[in-house]
Amino acid sequence: MLKITRKVEYALIALRHMQAKDPEGLTSAKEIATHYGIPKQLLAKTLQQMARDNIIQAVQGPTGGYRIRANLGKISLKDFFERLEGPLGMMDCFFESDCIQINACNIRVPIQRINDNMRDMFSKMTLMEVTQ
Amino acid sequence: MLKITRKVEYALIALRHMQAKDPEGLTSAKEIATHYGIPKQLLAKTLQQMARDNIIQAVQGPTGGYRIRANLGKISLKDFFERLEGPLGMMDCFFESDCIQINACNIRVPIQRINDNMRDMFSKMTLMEVTQ
DNA sequence: ATAAATACGATTAAAATTGTCGTATTTATT
DNA sequence: AATAAATACGACAATTTTAATCGTATTTAT
Ligand code: SF4
Ligand code: SF4
């Protein structure tokens, strides 16, 4: 309940690692995976996803790797979470309309309000707060 | 990711239903289950759990049911969530110590800070905000 | 040519959530 | 006393989501 995914954690670990290291130089998926004990393939896919989202830049070939591309102080945690995991809502009816209870539901409005609070909170935090 | 459980939703629906109705009278699990299309057994177990936690009061026998016992304005959402689902943390290391990354992890402290923010937020909201 | 890296869809494995079953107990009603 | 309608609750099963792996292709420095 209310947990972030491993994928997001791995992404954050990688970003912080790259930022702490030489922000200009390249870091391979292998280096991060072995250093933190993260499954390499899974981390690689996550890094690739971040590369597609222009959060990091990928360089192929041997001596290749990734480096941070975006300004981490300008990406909110909400945006980051949503880029990696899709729409951010505490309840199904926020992004799907096939909840069986949706017609009779008596908590939809109040729960939306709470969800707004949560999204607001993550909108006000940036990636930088995690990575530095 | 960051979703509340169905169990919590069902509990909230039930509480709101009971509060909107006669707060003195009894409401059966069956009534709520059929009215909102919630699996009866699952709802019953959730109501029983709330009864054990003294949030509601259970009355057995035919004509039995549940009524609200606690002051919903004095129970925070954080406490409510934790009574139903256990410790509330975005990441495993908040309540378990067997995360493989825990020693090398470079985001544990910042993620704890974010988690504190989330818990704070839910600490400042009460059940009443959902049920009324 | 080789090797080391990224790229990525498909598949499998594991875990968490959600729902059901079976049985016991309580108690108002008849 | 018998019945029926309700709560009580542990065990189990089904479903869904998350996590991890596999296989293959592409890029590029050496
Ligand atoms: S809030 Fe109500 S409608 Fe929305 S997902 Fe939950 S039960 Fe369904
Ligand atoms: S923050 Fe780090 S130590 Fe905590 S659960 Fe996530 S990976 Fe493990």
Side-chain angles (χ1 to χ4, degrees):
Chain A
M1 162 128 163
L2 292 171
K3 291 212 300 192
I4 58 176
T5 62
R6 233 47 182 159
K7 187 164 106 181
V8 164
E9 285 199 322
Y10 296 160
L12 291 171
I13 287 173
L15 286 177
R16 180 163 172 130
H17 182 85
M18 286 189 275
Q19 188 172 72
K21 222 183 133 191
D22 180 19
E24 305 300 316
L26 291 170
T27 307
S28 71
K30 187 182 180 183
E31 172 183 329
I32 299 172
T34 57
H35 190 282
Y36 298 97
I38 299 172
K40 180 185 155 190
Q41 299 258 51
L42 183 52
L43 175 64
K45 287 213 309 192
T46 305
L47 291 167
Q48 285 155 26
Q49 191 174 350
M50 285 199 286
R52 282 194 298 271
D53 287 338
N54 289 322
I55 296 171
I56 59 181
Q57 179 195 4
V59 174
Q60 286 193 321
T63 77
Y66 305 89
R67 71 164 61 89
I68 291 174
R69 157 172 283 179
N71 180 346
L72 300 187
K74 292 204 169 163
I75 299 179
S76 73
L77 279 186
K78 170 184 158 294
D79 288 345
F80 181 70
F81 290 163
E82 296 200 327
R83 283 196 218 181
L84 288 183
E85 299 287 356
L88 196 66
M90 295 195 320
M91 63 293 178
D92 286 348
C93 61
F94 183 73
F95 35 80
E96 285 173 9
S97 56
D98 61 352
C99 172
I100 301 175
Q101 284 83 25
I102 204 163
N103 288 311
C105 185
N106 62 354
I107 58 161
R108 193 168 179 211
V109 172
I111 218 88
Q112 284 271 15
R113 214 159 45 218
I114 291 167
N115 193 46
D116 287 346
N117 288 345
M118 196 187 69
R119 290 167 59 86
D120 263 18
M121 188 191 68
F122 287 124
S123 293
K124 287 172 185 151
M125 292 188 269
T126 73
L127 265 179
M128 193 64 95
E129 293 178 46
V130 182
T131 57
Q132 82 169 183
Chain B
M1 160 126 162
L2 291 171
K3 292 212 301 191
I4 58 176
T5 63
R6 237 39 185 163
K7 189 164 106 182
V8 164
E9 286 199 321
Y10 295 161
L12 292 171
I13 288 173
L15 286 177
R16 181 163 172 130
H17 182 84
M18 287 190 274
Q19 187 171 73
K21 225 185 131 191
D22 180 16
E24 304 299 315
L26 292 170
T27 308
S28 72
K30 187 181 180 182
E31 173 183 329
I32 299 173
T34 58
H35 190 282
Y36 296 97
I38 299 172
K40 181 185 155 189
Q41 300 258 53
L42 183 52
L43 175 64
K45 286 212 308 191
T46 305
L47 291 166
Q48 284 155 27
Q49 191 175 350
M50 285 199 285
R52 281 195 297 272
D53 286 338
N54 289 322
I55 297 171
I56 59 181
Q57 178 194 6
V59 175
Q60 286 193 320
T63 76
Y66 304 88
R67 70 165 62 88
I68 291 173
R69 157 172 283 178
N71 181 345
L72 299 187
K74 293 204 168 162
I75 299 179
S76 73
L77 278 186
K78 170 184 158 293
D79 287 345
F80 181 69
F81 290 163
E82 296 201 327
R83 283 196 217 181
L84 287 183
E85 300 287 356
L88 195 65
M90 297 196 318
M91 63 293 178
D92 285 350
C93 60
F94 183 72
F95 35 82
E96 285 173 10
S97 55
D98 59 351
C99 171
I100 301 174
Q101 284 82 25
I102 204 163
N103 288 311
C105 185
N106 62 353
I107 59 161
R108 194 169 178 210
V109 171
I111 219 86
Q112 284 272 13
R113 214 159 45 219
I114 290 167
N115 193 47
D116 287 346
N117 287 346
M118 195 187 69
R119 290 168 59 86
D120 262 18
M121 187 191 70
F122 287 125
S123 293
K124 286 172 185 150
M125 292 189 269
T126 72
L127 265 179
M128 193 64 94
E129 294 177 45
V130 183
T131 58
Q132 83 167 180

